[in-house]
Amino acid sequence: MDLDLSPYSVHTDLALEAKELASSRHGDTIPGVHTETAEDDDMVITKMHIENEQGSRAVGKLIGNYITLEVPRLREKDSDLQDKVATRLAQEFSTFLQRIGITKEAKVLIIGLGNYNVTPDALGPLVVENVMVTRHFFELMPDQVSPGYRQVSAVAPGVLGTTGIETSEIVQGIVERSKPDLVIAIDALASRALERVNTTIQIADTGIHPGSGVGNKRKGLTREFLGVPVIAIGVPTVVYASTIVNSTMDMMIDHFKQQTSNTSQIFGLLDGMNESERLQLVKEVLDPVGHNLLVTPKDIDQFIEDMANIIASGLNAALHDAIDQDNVAAYTH
Amino acid sequence: MDLDLSPYSVHTDLALEAKELASSRHGDTIPGVHTETAEDDDMVITKMHIENEQGSRAVGKLIGNYITLEVPRLREKDSDLQDKVATRLAQEFSTFLQRIGITKEAKVLIIGLGNYNVTPDALGPLVVENVMVTRHFFELMPDQVSPGYRQVSAVAPGVLGTTGIETSEIVQGIVERSKPDLVIAIDALASRALERVNTTIQIADTGIHPGSGVGNKRKGLTREFLGVPVIAIGVPTVVYASTIVNSTMDMMIDHFKQQTSNTSQIFGLLDGMNESERLQLVKEVLDPVGHNLLVTPKDIDQFIEDMANIIASGLNAALHDAIDQDNVAAYTH
Amino acid sequence: MDLDLSPYSVHTDLALEAKELASSRHGDTIPGVHTETAEDDDMVITKMHIENEQGSRAVGKLIGNYITLEVPRLREKDSDLQDKVATRLAQEFSTFLQRIGITKEAKVLIIGLGNYNVTPDALGPLVVENVMVTRHFFELMPDQVSPGYRQVSAVAPGVLGTTGIETSEIVQGIVERSKPDLVIAIDALASRALERVNTTIQIADTGIHPGSGVGNKRKGLTREFLGVPVIAIGVPTVVYASTIVNSTMDMMIDHFKQQTSNTSQIFGLLDGMNESERLQLVKEVLDPVGHNLLVTPKDIDQFIEDMANIIASGLNAALHDAIDQDNVAAYTH
Amino acid sequence: MDLDLSPYSVHTDLALEAKELASSRHGDTIPGVHTETAEDDDMVITKMHIENEQGSRAVGKLIGNYITLEVPRLREKDSDLQDKVATRLAQEFSTFLQRIGITKEAKVLIIGLGNYNVTPDALGPLVVENVMVTRHFFELMPDQVSPGYRQVSAVAPGVLGTTGIETSEIVQGIVERSKPDLVIAIDALASRALERVNTTIQIADTGIHPGSGVGNKRKGLTREFLGVPVIAIGVPTVVYASTIVNSTMDMMIDHFKQQTSNTSQIFGLLDGMNESERLQLVKEVLDPVGHNLLVTPKDIDQFIEDMANIIASGLNAALHDAIDQDNVAAYTH
């Protein structure tokens, strides 16, 4: 995760939010972008396919498949809901793997990006800590591995600031030695909205690209660089100060629209600007004084660990047939 | 630390910031409020005396003495600067004790407010963990205590949400049993400005009052309730979302003032409002949707521990003559 | 938890182990001590009643009721087994409360003894962190509390070395202010056997006494001192070096007995000594050189948190009728 | 760090202890082994050169150079002593590098072996967290790097049980991508004596070999495998239960020798055995029942972090000329 100050950045790592922003400019239907949504009482699941360059440019995200699970009540510490989300994540992830052609025998390397010692950045290392690894059993005692398991390994490589080495280079070295067929990269993301922090999970088959707002990986964790497909699983754990400011202005304008038809009297030109223009303005003010800090809810410590467990449980069930997708919690501590 | 949604709150626990806000309405000189400032290359030290009810009402803080150390570079992990701040804190605190009539023999109970498991709220418990306690030596082997030490004890009582008991009641019970002459309460504060987070230390002789923005202590840690003087040491570790929004608007208006004389064309009525009015407006929008969350810089984990060490070192040197105020670091781990 | 170097100490905080030792001297039936045992595939539950002074002297434990749950596989990280133990603990604890006359309305204060920052001593504070507290709801909004709950509060008072105040005095102060009808004290214990570490839970209605091997509480957490009944829940998390040495000698002698009738030729006088005499000899050698340290398995970090969750879940279900004793896990995170 | 149950193991990772054991069998002078010792009030520094196969076989350690710093008071939390040890470590390490021909420009990769989440195994990851890395500055802005620094990178690769990949393979991959000239591997060791735990630092130019008692690295972190020299820095943080038992027996025999000439009457055949024979006997008894666990002092949490800081400070000063070897502490947090 790192600061992305590129001029036209929409300041979100979530394809869903990028599409919402694009829709506010282009209208609901964006050529080259296909979305479908399913929801129940607890969660909304959105599948988005960015089919071509046109869609990619409109949304500002790469061509590929994105799944987003939004679970507004996920911070309420309800362990039944957490189990339900892990189970659903397992099912969606499993289907996702099939759709992009990953077989049940494919060997998997899970990479936990981020810094263990910075709470909102610790998601990746915590998933690595909790996920079930099996590769060494296949290597050391292949005849004793039960059917229904595949080879899974997991590494938390650290961040550039503490290792001095580009994360993508470390991962490349590990991929070359351990020869997985698929890399799954877990990372903390930045969202536009505090309410999405620790309530949303995004799966994408686009890899992780430098400048996509997920940080310090100039060379990217991508199929091109690593030679194997890369699936990214991300959870927003921070928001930029500029997006909080901007979305508050939105709410203020909406608020007064209910009271007067002439909001421009109150908000002046701010009222007429579209969201991107205003965000750009906010950033112009905040960046030079170093105020566009990433911010995080104060009680985040309590949620990161729960979220890491949900993802670890979901991955365990999705990756191993022998693990029951209807009862994922029993296999993770 | 807790949310304070009272209608006219200035949203800051720092007397310094409250005074700045008051000055923006009343002008620099506020009757009943006396301030003096000293500064060097590394820090600004402000002593404020709120002398009477008039000053208290104008600033929105209680009658009493306040010292604020502002050290803008304190997040740069410079251990020499940290030692310098601890040493200066020791000197200022020592003088502060003398001025309010606390003798060198006075027995001290240090109370670390806050929740160990919520990073920005862990300052108090961390100070308790690092401070030197001596009371048990005086109780168990009084003849073996070297001269130059006084009786110090330290407790982190927890927060209402995890104990089920008002913190002030727990402290009252401990004061009754252990009979200190002075209580020093350490707490994490909310500031108006992200740049003050973990760079500012406030000392006050007013105790900690319910509704003063430092939370869940309906009965207050005050001389009235506990029967002994209470000195509060606080460090801002969070800001309210509403104050980030508001101060960004300020910066935007200032920004455009340099380019056009007619900022009201850009900002409409927002431009003409004073800070309190606009803040009130922002809160009206954010509170109902639960968005006025406290926020904290993402890398706060790394600073809270350093700050706790500085305060523990400073207290050790201020409280015990035997500890050299010029070399405070050697006595704390 | 602290070192107990009293001359005739049996070096165990577990009544069960003390009784085993006594039986090795006195034979299986000890006057004044009544035990009954139930077991299934996963656990052995022993209820012991020390009825009178004679039994107390023979065993070296106080008159009172003791329940011990031994679960040899509890370190295997099997979450189903953990749920089963929490459920059984809830049932046993609930019955225990009834038997000693604690009503469903009795207000409970849970005290987590020990030091959060020393892993094997962190059990008590971790239980406090995880247990459900309700007292503040009864105080602040009594009409909104659902039926089936009682008033529960919970405090981790710290240890003498970090607070400077006797733990029993802090607890006494809190009891006087918050007026519970019952105190439940959670503490880490010392066992004679590494295999009991983190696999055994002891419940006792005797309170916690100075010199009973649970440390630094000269005045004791007892009905006499606090004015309300005190139930202790303990888990062995450390063993003394001397007991490891001694039990190894036992195993060596047993080992050679299978090979030769003349073990005294191999072990000399060591062979003829009873366990207490030999332990005394080991301590005489280890204590002066400071080697009778408490030791702990290297991977203890991973078990303490699981054990704290089991106890918190068990207490939640035992203390509140509204929490289903057959599904304890859903209520604790 | 892992269990090494090979039949003739001396159960120590310290060359110094292995040599002491060998001396108890062979006498003080061992052909092919050269040692020299320097000491002051606070520490003993032993340099050992195992010159040839004969010496290697006698001691049970590889041919190479070993330096051991023993600092008995290092657990007393004296920050002046800690600084002194870091400074001395820097000097010794610097000399060691010169002696084995490592230049000031050599690029260094520091590998922190072990498991962050198992306290006595966390030394390596903690050093990585605290050490100064510079490689990325050389890569990203080479003209801005001040003179007096060299390229340093640092990775904590995890352990086989949590990654599923041999640690040596991960390191090999990182070495191939980042091309250091030297690897420094930090690891927690097992000692024979509780008093050496967290008071001793060993430097060796032999690399880390499978079966040398430092664990789960079948292929070894060695010059042969990695293609660059490997220096190991180790600190004992655990002891085997069997060595505690055995050294206690030693002390008992010594104890009684002062009282009687006929210790064999007391200890039987145990008395006549040499240390290796008796240790073998103890292991025969403990291993089958799984009791030969590694054990650790209960308060280890407090020392591991201090030790990691000492090593990180020492390495910073030894590796960069620009860092003053007389004032190492200022550069580490």
Side-chain angles (χ1 to χ4, degrees):
Chain A
M1 196 164 44
D2 74 347
L3 283 169
D4 172 11
L5 304 174
S6 61
Y8 305 107
S9 162
V10 289
H11 273 70
T12 175
D13 295 333
L14 291 174
L16 190 70
E17 290 186 344
K19 202 238 159 196
E20 284 169 5
L21 277 175
S23 296
S24 75
R25 292 188 302 265
H26 300 280
D28 254 13
T29 308
I30 300 174
V33 179
H34 181 76
T35 54
E36 74 188 54
T37 296
E39 67 185 280
D40 66 16
D41 287 356
D42 290 316
M43 60 185 112
V44 180
I45 295 175
T46 306
K47 294 180 192 179
M48 189 187 310
H49 184 200
I50 300 183
E51 295 164 329
N52 52 34
E53 269 306 317
Q54 189 185 10
S56 174
R57 243 175 298 116
V59 173
K61 293 287 161 194
L62 292 165
I63 294 173
N65 293 289
Y66 299 84
I67 299 182
T68 315
L69 283 77
E70 295 172 276
V71 193
R73 294 200 305 106
L74 199 46
R75 292 194 293 219
E76 288 174 19
K77 297 203 139 295
D78 173 338
S79 58
D80 286 340
L81 179 60
Q82 290 174 7
D83 284 356
K84 183 177 166 181
V85 174
T87 301
R88 186 64 184 263
L89 176 64
Q91 291 156 353
E92 295 294 341
F93 195 80
S94 190
T95 310
F96 192 85
L97 290 184
Q98 281 167 38
R99 198 160 24 139
I100 63 173
I102 306 293
T103 68
K104 285 185 188 314
E105 288 73 38
K107 290 179 269 179
V108 172
L109 168 62
I110 297 169
I111 295 294
L113 297 167
N115 185 344
Y116 193 89
N117 292 294
V118 174
T119 306
D121 211 22
L123 180 78
L126 282 169
V127 170
V128 164
E129 195 182 309
N130 286 315
V131 89
M132 193 170 78
V133 298
T134 55
R135 182 180 178 277
H136 51 319
F137 299 124
F138 283 86
E139 295 276 313
L140 300 175
M141 36 182 134
D143 3 313
Q144 291 171 42
V145 180
S146 307
Y149 291 94
R150 74 166 86 208
Q151 292 197 33
V152 175
S153 54
V155 176
V159 295
L160 180 62
T162 60
T163 64
I165 308 174
E166 291 277 6
T167 303
S168 53
E169 286 187 290
I170 295 178
V171 175
Q172 193 186 27
I174 297 170
V175 166
E176 280 168 7
R177 306 304 323 163
S178 67
K179 306 207 180 309
D181 302 311
L182 170 71
V183 165
I184 300 173
I186 318 293
D187 199 7
L189 306 177
S191 161
R192 292 180 61 241
L194 272 172
E195 71 267 27
R196 282 220 174 83
V197 166
N198 280 318
T199 63
T200 301
I201 302 170
Q202 174 177 277
I203 305 167
D205 62 2
T206 57
I208 290 179
H209 288 259
S212 74
V214 188
N216 287 327
K217 293 149 215 113
R218 248 49 55 199
K219 277 168 191 159
L221 291 183
T222 60
R223 178 175 217 145
E224 293 68 47
F225 188 65
L226 299 180
V228 295
V230 178
I231 299 178
I233 300 182
V235 172
T237 62
V238 293
V239 289
Y240 286 87
S242 55
T243 63
I244 296 181
V245 172
N246 195 50
S247 58
T248 305
M249 287 183 176
D250 265 7
M251 284 187 283
M252 289 172 73
I253 292 173
D254 286 353
H255 182 73
F256 284 98
K257 274 204 174 122
Q258 294 160 15
Q259 297 172 16
T260 170
S261 56
N262 186 2
T263 49
S264 70
Q265 193 187 335
I266 303 175
F267 292 98
L269 287 181
L270 289 179
D271 184 43
M273 293 180 181
N274 71 31
E275 189 153 9
S276 299
E277 288 167 330
R278 209 172 46 229
L279 188 55
Q280 193 50 35
L281 184 66
V282 173
K283 289 179 66 182
E284 263 171 38
V285 173
L286 289 177
D287 287 347
V289 290
H291 279 43
N292 194 11
L293 299 169
L294 291 158
V295 292
T296 193
K298 141 174 126 83
D299 48 2
I300 191 164
D301 311 53
Q302 312 185 334
F303 305 122
I304 291 278
E305 209 156 325
D306 288 344
M307 195 53 110
N309 270 318
I310 290 170
I311 294 176
S313 299
L315 284 178
N316 287 346
L319 295 177
H320 304 288
D321 271 2
I323 296 182
D324 185 354
Q325 287 191 12
D326 297 332
N327 177 22
V328 301
Y331 299 84
T332 315
H333 71 91
Chain B
M1 198 162 45
D2 73 348
L3 285 167
D4 173 9
L5 304 173
S6 62
Y8 304 106
S9 162
V10 289
H11 273 71
T12 175
D13 294 333
L14 291 173
L16 191 70
E17 290 187 343
K19 203 244 163 190
E20 285 169 6
L21 277 175
S23 296
S24 74
R25 292 188 303 263
H26 299 281
D28 253 15
T29 308
I30 300 174
V33 179
H34 181 77
T35 55
E36 76 189 54
T37 297
E39 68 186 280
D40 67 17
D41 287 356
D42 290 316
M43 59 186 113
V44 180
I45 295 175
T46 307
K47 293 179 192 180
M48 189 187 311
H49 185 200
I50 300 184
E51 296 164 330
N52 52 35
E53 270 305 316
Q54 189 186 10
S56 173
R57 244 174 297 117
V59 173
K61 293 286 163 194
L62 290 165
I63 294 172
N65 294 288
Y66 300 83
I67 299 182
T68 315
L69 283 77
E70 295 172 276
V71 193
R73 294 198 307 105
L74 199 46
R75 291 193 295 215
E76 287 174 19
K77 297 204 138 296
D78 172 339
S79 58
D80 287 338
L81 179 59
Q82 290 173 8
D83 284 356
K84 183 177 167 184
V85 174
T87 301
R88 186 64 183 263
L89 176 64
Q91 290 157 353
E92 294 294 340
F93 195 80
S94 190
T95 312
F96 192 84
L97 289 183
Q98 281 165 40
R99 198 162 22 141
I100 64 172
I102 306 293
T103 68
K104 285 185 188 315
E105 288 73 36
K107 291 177 272 180
V108 171
L109 168 62
I110 297 170
I111 294 294
L113 297 167
N115 186 344
Y116 193 89
N117 292 292
V118 174
T119 307
D121 212 20
L123 180 78
L126 282 169
V127 171
V128 164
E129 195 183 308
N130 285 316
V131 90
M132 193 171 76
V133 298
T134 55
R135 182 181 177 277
H136 52 319
F137 299 125
F138 284 86
E139 295 276 314
L140 300 175
M141 36 182 136
D143 2 314
Q144 292 173 41
V145 180
S146 308
Y149 291 94
R150 74 165 89 207
Q151 292 196 32
V152 174
S153 54
V155 177
V159 295
L160 180 62
T162 60
T163 64
I165 308 174
E166 291 277 5
T167 303
S168 54
E169 285 188 290
I170 295 179
V171 175
Q172 193 187 28
I174 297 170
V175 166
E176 280 167 7
R177 304 308 320 166
S178 66
K179 304 204 181 310
D181 301 312
L182 171 70
V183 166
I184 299 174
I186 319 294
D187 200 8
L189 306 178
S191 161
R192 291 180 63 240
L194 272 171
E195 72 266 27
R196 283 220 174 82
V197 166
N198 280 319
T199 63
T200 301
I201 302 170
Q202 174 177 276
I203 306 167
D205 63 0
T206 56
I208 290 180
H209 288 260
S212 74
V214 190
N216 286 328
K217 295 150 215 109
R218 247 48 56 198
K219 277 167 191 160
L221 291 183
T222 60
R223 179 175 216 145
E224 294 69 46
F225 188 65
L226 299 180
V228 296
V230 179
I231 298 179
I233 300 181
V235 172
T237 62
V238 294
V239 289
Y240 286 87
S242 55
T243 63
I244 295 180
V245 173
N246 195 50
S247 58
T248 305
M249 287 184 176
D250 265 7
M251 284 186 284
M252 289 172 72
I253 292 173
D254 286 354
H255 182 74
F256 285 98
K257 276 204 174 122
Q258 295 160 13
Q259 298 172 15
T260 171
S261 58
N262 186 3
T263 50
S264 71
Q265 194 187 334
I266 303 173
F267 291 97
L269 288 181
L270 288 179
D271 183 44
M273 293 181 183
N274 72 30
E275 187 153 10
S276 299
E277 287 168 330
R278 208 172 48 229
L279 188 56
Q280 192 51 33
L281 184 65
V282 173
K283 289 178 66 183
E284 262 171 40
V285 173
L286 289 177
D287 286 349
V289 289
H291 280 43
N292 195 9
L293 298 169
L294 291 158
V295 293
T296 193
K298 142 174 126 82
D299 48 2
I300 190 164
D301 311 53
Q302 311 184 334
F303 305 122
I304 291 277
E305 209 156 326
D306 288 344
M307 194 54 108
N309 270 318
I310 290 169
I311 293 177
S313 299
L315 283 178
N316 288 346
L319 295 178
H320 304 289
D321 271 3
I323 297 181
D324 186 354
Q325 288 191 13
D326 297 332
N327 177 21
V328 301
Y331 299 84
T332 315
H333 71 92
Chain C
M1 195 163 47
D2 73 346
L3 285 167
D4 172 11
L5 303 174
S6 61
Y8 305 106
S9 162
V10 289
H11 272 70
T12 175
D13 294 334
L14 292 173
L16 191 70
E17 290 186 344
K19 202 240 160 193
E20 284 169 5
L21 278 175
S23 295
S24 75
R25 293 188 302 264
H26 299 282
D28 253 13
T29 307
I30 300 173
V33 179
H34 180 77
T35 55
E36 74 189 55
T37 297
E39 68 184 279
D40 67 17
D41 286 357
D42 290 316
M43 60 186 112
V44 180
I45 296 174
T46 307
K47 294 179 191 178
M48 188 186 310
H49 185 200
I50 301 183
E51 296 165 328
N52 52 35
E53 270 305 317
Q54 188 186 10
S56 173
R57 243 175 296 115
V59 173
K61 294 285 162 193
L62 291 166
I63 294 173
N65 294 288
Y66 300 84
I67 299 183
T68 315
L69 282 77
E70 294 173 276
V71 193
R73 293 199 306 107
L74 198 46
R75 291 193 295 217
E76 287 173 20
K77 297 203 138 296
D78 172 338
S79 58
D80 287 338
L81 179 59
Q82 290 173 7
D83 284 356
K84 182 177 167 182
V85 174
T87 301
R88 186 63 184 263
L89 176 64
Q91 291 157 352
E92 295 294 340
F93 196 78
S94 190
T95 311
F96 193 83
L97 290 183
Q98 281 166 39
R99 198 162 22 142
I100 65 172
I102 306 294
T103 69
K104 285 185 187 315
E105 288 73 36
K107 291 178 270 180
V108 171
L109 169 61
I110 297 169
I111 295 294
L113 298 167
N115 186 343
Y116 193 89
N117 292 293
V118 174
T119 307
D121 212 21
L123 179 78
L126 282 169
V127 170
V128 163
E129 195 183 310
N130 285 315
V131 89
M132 193 171 78
V133 296
T134 54
R135 182 180 177 277
H136 51 321
F137 299 124
F138 284 85
E139 295 276 314
L140 300 175
M141 36 181 134
D143 3 313
Q144 291 173 42
V145 180
S146 308
Y149 291 94
R150 73 165 89 208
Q151 293 197 33
V152 174
S153 53
V155 177
V159 295
L160 180 62
T162 61
T163 64
I165 309 174
E166 291 276 4
T167 303
S168 53
E169 285 188 289
I170 295 178
V171 175
Q172 193 186 28
I174 297 170
V175 165
E176 279 167 7
R177 304 305 322 165
S178 66
K179 305 205 182 310
D181 302 311
L182 171 70
V183 165
I184 299 174
I186 319 294
D187 199 7
L189 306 177
S191 161
R192 292 179 62 240
L194 272 171
E195 72 265 28
R196 282 220 174 82
V197 166
N198 280 318
T199 64
T200 300
I201 302 169
Q202 173 178 278
I203 305 166
D205 62 1
T206 56
I208 290 180
H209 289 260
S212 74
V214 189
N216 287 326
K217 294 151 214 106
R218 249 49 56 198
K219 277 168 192 160
L221 291 182
T222 60
R223 178 174 217 145
E224 292 70 46
F225 187 64
L226 299 179
V228 295
V230 179
I231 298 179
I233 300 182
V235 172
T237 62
V238 294
V239 289
Y240 287 86
S242 55
T243 64
I244 295 180
V245 172
N246 196 50
S247 59
T248 305
M249 287 183 177
D250 265 7
M251 284 187 285
M252 289 172 72
I253 292 173
D254 285 354
H255 182 74
F256 286 98
K257 275 201 175 125
Q258 294 161 14
Q259 298 172 13
T260 169
S261 58
N262 187 2
T263 50
S264 70
Q265 193 188 334
I266 304 173
F267 291 97
L269 287 180
L270 288 178
D271 183 45
M273 293 181 183
N274 71 31
E275 188 153 9
S276 298
E277 287 168 331
R278 207 171 49 228
L279 188 56
Q280 193 50 34
L281 183 67
V282 172
K283 289 178 66 183
E284 262 171 40
V285 173
L286 289 177
D287 287 347
V289 290
H291 279 44
N292 195 11
L293 299 169
L294 291 157
V295 293
T296 193
K298 142 173 126 82
D299 48 2
I300 190 162
D301 311 53
Q302 311 185 332
F303 305 121
I304 290 277
E305 209 156 324
D306 288 344
M307 194 53 110
N309 270 318
I310 290 170
I311 293 176
S313 299
L315 283 179
N316 286 346
L319 295 178
H320 304 289
D321 271 3
I323 297 181
D324 186 352
Q325 289 192 10
D326 296 333
N327 177 23
V328 300
Y331 299 84
T332 315
H333 72 91
Chain D
M1 200 163 41
D2 73 347
L3 283 168
D4 173 11
L5 304 174
S6 62
Y8 304 106
S9 161
V10 289
H11 272 72
T12 176
D13 294 333
L14 292 173
L16 191 70
E17 290 187 343
K19 202 242 163 193
E20 285 169 5
L21 278 175
S23 296
S24 74
R25 291 188 301 264
H26 300 281
D28 254 12
T29 308
I30 300 174
V33 179
H34 181 77
T35 55
E36 75 189 52
T37 297
E39 68 186 280
D40 66 16
D41 287 356
D42 291 316
M43 59 187 113
V44 180
I45 295 175
T46 307
K47 295 179 191 179
M48 188 186 312
H49 186 200
I50 300 183
E51 297 164 329
N52 52 35
E53 270 306 315
Q54 187 186 13
S56 173
R57 242 174 299 115
V59 172
K61 293 285 161 194
L62 291 164
I63 293 172
N65 293 289
Y66 299 84
I67 299 182
T68 314
L69 283 77
E70 295 172 276
V71 193
R73 294 199 305 105
L74 198 45
R75 292 193 295 216
E76 286 174 19
K77 298 203 135 296
D78 173 338
S79 59
D80 286 339
L81 179 59
Q82 290 173 7
D83 284 357
K84 182 176 168 182
V85 174
T87 300
R88 185 65 184 263
L89 176 63
Q91 291 157 352
E92 295 294 341
F93 195 79
S94 191
T95 312
F96 193 84
L97 289 183
Q98 281 166 39
R99 197 160 26 139
I100 64 173
I102 306 293
T103 69
K104 284 185 189 313
E105 289 72 37
K107 291 179 271 181
V108 172
L109 168 61
I110 298 170
I111 294 294
L113 298 167
N115 186 343
Y116 194 89
N117 292 292
V118 173
T119 307
D121 211 22
L123 180 78
L126 282 169
V127 170
V128 164
E129 195 182 310
N130 285 316
V131 90
M132 193 170 77
V133 297
T134 55
R135 182 179 177 278
H136 51 320
F137 299 124
F138 284 85
E139 296 275 313
L140 300 175
M141 36 182 135
D143 4 314
Q144 292 172 41
V145 179
S146 308
Y149 291 94
R150 73 166 87 206
Q151 292 196 33
V152 174
S153 54
V155 177
V159 295
L160 180 62
T162 62
T163 65
I165 308 174
E166 291 277 5
T167 303
S168 53
E169 285 188 289
I170 295 178
V171 175
Q172 194 187 26
I174 297 170
V175 166
E176 280 167 7
R177 305 305 323 165
S178 66
K179 306 208 181 307
D181 301 311
L182 171 70
V183 165
I184 300 174
I186 319 294
D187 200 8
L189 306 177
S191 160
R192 293 179 62 241
L194 272 171
E195 71 266 27
R196 282 218 175 84
V197 167
N198 281 318
T199 63
T200 301
I201 302 171
Q202 173 178 277
I203 305 167
D205 62 2
T206 56
I208 291 182
H209 288 259
S212 75
V214 189
N216 287 326
K217 294 150 216 110
R218 246 52 54 200
K219 278 167 193 160
L221 291 183
T222 60
R223 177 174 218 146
E224 294 69 46
F225 188 65
L226 299 179
V228 295
V230 179
I231 299 179
I233 300 182
V235 172
T237 62
V238 294
V239 289
Y240 287 85
S242 55
T243 63
I244 295 181
V245 172
N246 195 50
S247 59
T248 306
M249 286 183 178
D250 265 8
M251 283 188 283
M252 289 172 73
I253 293 174
D254 285 354
H255 181 74
F256 285 98
K257 275 204 173 121
Q258 294 160 13
Q259 298 173 16
T260 169
S261 57
N262 186 2
T263 50
S264 70
Q265 192 186 338
I266 303 174
F267 291 96
L269 288 180
L270 289 178
D271 183 44
M273 293 180 182
N274 72 30
E275 189 153 8
S276 299
E277 288 168 328
R278 208 171 49 228
L279 187 55
Q280 193 50 34
L281 183 66
V282 172
K283 288 179 66 182
E284 263 171 41
V285 172
L286 288 177
D287 287 347
V289 290
H291 279 44
N292 196 12
L293 299 168
L294 291 157
V295 293
T296 194
K298 142 174 126 83
D299 47 1
I300 190 162
D301 311 53
Q302 311 185 334
F303 305 122
I304 291 278
E305 209 157 325
D306 288 344
M307 194 53 110
N309 270 318
I310 290 170
I311 293 177
S313 299
L315 284 178
N316 287 346
L319 295 178
H320 304 289
D321 270 3
I323 297 182
D324 185 354
Q325 288 190 14
D326 297 332
N327 177 21
V328 300
Y331 299 85
T332 315
H333 72 92

